[in-house]
Amino acid sequence: MKYSSAIHPSDEVKKFHRIRNCMFLSGLSVFAQLYLFQPMLSDLCRSFQVDLPTSSLAVSTSTIGMATGLLFFAFKADAFRREKLMGMALLLSSLLTIASSFITGFMWLLVINFMKGFALSGVSAVALAYLTDEVDRSVIGLAISLYLSGNTIGGMSGRVASTLLSGWGGWQYAAALIGLVSLLLGYIFVRKIPASQHNIRRKLSVRQQVNQMKILLGQPVFLRMYGIAALSMGTFVSVYNYLSILLESPSFGLPHQWVAMIFMMYITGVAGSIVTGTLSDRYRPEVLLQASLLLMCIGLSLLWIQQLVAIIVGLGIFTFAFFSAHTMASRIVSIHAGEAKSSATSIYWLFYYAGSSLLGSLTGIILSQYGWNIFVGVLLILLMMALATSFHAVYYRMSWALKKLHRS
């Protein structure tokens, strides 16, 4: 029986608290590990004698592994018990993170990072489904918001910690310590996570699942949200990949410990998700998505002004707006998916991480060859494409509604 504070006994209350806490810890671990190397690209350049675009592959291979794993688990996740899959994923990824600290060849680092991303996808693929099945509807919003907060805080703390630790003892020291902490979190998760009581395993053939995905990819509203996910996430990761390079350059000359503070801007992202989620009860998600993408463009434009105050303000606006846009795009997908929510959201995450992987690396080439101003200009074009796509999605939906009204 699921938890409800009014009628269920105290052991059900304890179960809810254990689920909430475990899922929060899983979010911390996943995103601390996934973007571990993002603030240490300059360290990797020096350690392995590679250029900046090549060093960014240390991040991209992790997200490519995540996208590949999500595609795999879209077909195979139902073959595992959800809590066991998440536990195995957290432990295995932690061991791979620790192993990466002993690597002396860059190609092997990329291989391990791909494997780590694939392992971590075992958590992302089933976490929301586990919460939806195991937590009472009256508190599901709280449980999911805490899980997503763990994701954001994990991404922020992992980046800050890796920047500080690499500044003090090198990137190997940072990877080893974050891996050990993640291993501890994984152990706590395995020991404390309640066994699934409502995990209904549906037996769909591969052909049925492929057909379901084809139907989703044939719907314009889904295609446009997937495109927005790829473009906005690719832009977001590109900024956070390379902004530290600018701030450590002679133009600013900021030390490691100050550069680490830029990742504290993720706090504005938490605020963005909460504010937009609240407003979505009063305004259409499509309108809020458009406003968020427009605000991302404004924040990104401020990064053209290469002054520290403008960069801080611009980054804050940009981060707030990105998480707002991500919240609304994923909500629109969920609203329209009906009974195909799992497949629809899996494809959404696939595009999300594919954009992170491809654009996060390709924009590094632009930065290396053409400089910061052209780099920001290209990112702004990508965001404007996402904004145009969002307006087109609303136009399509209005046209569809008018046709339906005319037929009736």
Side-chain angles (χ1 to χ4, degrees):
M1 185 177 292
K2 298 182 180 181
Y3 166 74
S4 171
S5 58
I7 60 175
H8 290 83
S10 60
D11 58 338
E12 292 297 325
V13 177
K14 292 178 181 177
K15 178 185 174 183
F16 169 73
H17 289 162
R18 285 170 62 192
I19 291 175
R20 178 196 65 186
N21 295 338
C22 285
M23 296 309 296
F24 178 80
L25 292 180
S26 75
L28 283 176
S29 178
V30 168
F31 284 85
Q33 294 184 79
L34 188 63
Y35 292 105
L36 165 65
F37 289 103
Q38 190 176 53
M40 301 191 294
L41 298 184
S42 57
D43 294 320
L44 297 182
C45 289
R46 291 188 292 269
S47 180
F48 294 104
Q49 298 299 303
V50 296
D51 58 19
L52 182 60
T54 302
S55 72
S56 70
L57 293 174
V59 179
S60 295
T61 48
S62 294
T63 52
I64 290 171
M66 172 70 86
T68 306
L70 286 168
L71 182 61
F72 172 81
F73 285 115
F75 294 98
K76 295 295 184 181
D78 288 336
F80 303 90
R81 290 193 64 84
R82 288 169 182 159
E83 74 281 0
K84 291 187 180 296
L85 175 60
M86 290 187 286
M88 288 189 297
L90 292 172
L91 293 176
L92 178 58
S93 62
S94 302
L95 294 174
L96 289 168
T97 298
I98 294 170
S100 68
S101 67
F102 297 98
I103 292 300
T104 57
F106 189 69
M107 285 303 299
W108 281 111
L109 180 66
L110 299 185
V111 170
I112 286 183
N113 281 353
F114 176 86
M115 293 168 61
K116 177 181 69 178
F118 191 99
L120 288 170
S121 70
V123 179
S124 298
V126 299
L128 293 180
Y130 174 86
L131 284 172
T132 302
D133 284 345
E134 302 304 319
V135 174
D136 188 81
R137 189 176 298 274
S138 63
V139 288
I140 187 65
L142 172 62
I144 291 177
S145 66
L146 285 170
Y147 168 67
L148 295 177
S149 296
N151 293 350
T152 306
I153 295 171
M156 178 185 71
S157 58
R159 289 166 170 91
V160 172
S162 60
T163 305
L164 296 176
L165 292 171
S166 63
W168 292 329
W171 69 267
Q172 296 94 335
Y173 178 70
L177 194 56
I178 290 176
L180 288 170
V181 172
S182 297
L183 186 62
L184 176 61
L185 295 179
Y187 174 76
I188 295 172
F189 180 93
V190 170
R191 290 293 304 271
K192 298 295 184 180
I193 188 72
S196 176
Q197 301 295 320
H198 307 277
N199 189 178
I200 301 173
R201 302 186 185 186
R202 294 183 303 159
K203 296 295 183 181
L204 290 179
S205 67
V206 172
R207 172 178 284 186
Q208 287 174 312
Q209 291 172 317
V210 169
N211 287 338
Q212 190 178 64
M213 290 185 178
K214 283 182 179 179
I215 291 171
L216 292 170
L217 290 172
Q219 298 296 318
V221 66
F222 291 114
L223 278 176
R224 292 183 175 101
M225 290 307 108
Y226 296 154
I228 289 169
L231 291 169
S232 61
M233 180 57 171
T235 304
F236 180 76
V237 167
S238 296
V239 169
Y240 274 94
N241 269 0
Y242 305 117
L243 183 57
S244 59
I245 305 296
L246 174 69
L247 296 179
E248 291 176 6
S249 70
S251 300
F252 292 90
L254 295 180
H256 258 76
Q257 57 268 29
W258 285 103
V259 173
M261 294 302 105
I262 68 171
F263 296 106
M264 297 297 289
M265 285 296 177
Y266 268 57
I267 295 173
T268 66
V270 175
S273 295
I274 294 172
V275 169
T276 313
T278 302
L279 290 175
S280 65
D281 292 330
R282 297 163 52 193
Y283 302 99
R284 294 176 65 86
E286 293 86 353
V287 174
L288 294 173
L289 174 61
Q290 292 166 2
S292 299
L293 290 170
L294 181 60
L295 199 56
M296 280 186 76
C297 292
I298 293 172
L300 183 62
S301 298
L302 290 176
L303 300 187
W304 259 324
I305 307 172
Q306 294 187 39
Q307 295 180 1
L308 192 57
V309 173
I311 288 175
I312 292 172
V313 173
L315 188 64
I317 294 171
F318 177 77
T319 305
F320 177 96
F322 166 73
F323 281 98
S324 298
H326 170 45
T327 301
M328 288 301 99
S330 57
R331 176 167 179 167
I332 290 168
V333 169
S334 180
I335 288 171
H336 288 82
E339 295 182 357
K341 280 187 174 62
S342 295
S343 295
T345 54
S346 291
I347 300 173
Y348 177 86
W349 286 113
L350 179 62
F351 275 80
Y352 183 85
Y353 286 113
S356 169
S357 305
L358 297 176
L359 295 179
S361 290
L362 292 176
T363 54
I365 299 174
I366 295 171
L367 176 62
S368 296
Q369 294 188 359
Y370 302 104
W372 181 259
N373 288 335
I374 299 298
F375 166 76
V376 174
V378 169
L379 295 184
L380 191 57
I381 290 172
L382 294 175
L383 273 184
M384 292 173 69
M385 290 170 59
L387 182 60
T389 301
S390 71
F391 280 104
H392 199 258
V394 172
Y395 171 78
Y396 171 84
R397 182 173 175 178
M398 289 176 64
S399 300
W400 178 82
L402 288 172
K403 289 178 182 178
K404 186 176 180 182
L405 181 63
H406 178 72
R407 288 171 186 167
S408 63

